[in-house]
């Protein structure tokens, strides 16, 4: 099973921006993710063509199973 952490932000123009991280640690907490997201905004780590990230919207972990048929 592949897990993906998605961190959703709003930028200056109100558009949604999603950053994805593969295989987050199993015991990750909302507090840890929220702290990282706030740090990303405070340090202006990522830029977008529509402006800086200015607001935390949501964090979610997605699970995906796949079966390779050879």
């Amino acid at each position: 099973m592949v897990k993906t952490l998605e961190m959703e932000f709003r930028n200056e123009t109100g558009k949604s921006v999603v950053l994805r991280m593969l295989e987050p640690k199993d015991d990750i907490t909302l507090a840890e993710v929220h702290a990282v997201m706030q740090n990303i905004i405070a340090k202006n780590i990522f830029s977008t063509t529509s402006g800086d990230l200015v607001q935390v919207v949501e964090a979610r972990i997605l699970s995906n199973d796949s079966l390779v048929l050879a």
Side-chain angles (χ1 to χ4, degrees):
M1 177 179 350
V2 177
K3 291 184 181 177
T4 304
L5 169 63
E6 290 189 345
M7 297 176 285
E8 184 177 351
F9 300 86
R10 292 257 186 269
N11 63 20
E12 291 176 313
T13 61
K15 291 185 179 180
S16 177
V17 177
V18 177
L19 301 177
R20 292 175 182 86
M21 184 182 82
L22 292 176
E23 296 300 330
K25 66 181 188 173
D26 287 332
D27 61 347
I28 196 164
T29 66
L30 176 59
E32 291 171 322
V33 174
H34 190 261
V36 168
M37 294 175 79
Q38 290 296 340
N39 199 26
I40 288 170
I41 290 173
K43 293 187 176 187
N44 199 24
I45 294 173
F46 297 101
S47 61
T48 72
T49 56
S50 299
D52 295 338
L53 302 179
V54 295
Q55 180 185 7
V56 170
V57 175
E58 182 177 68
R60 54 193 169 263
I61 294 178
L62 305 175
S63 299
N64 186 8
D65 285 333
S66 62
L67 175 62
V68 176
L69 301 174

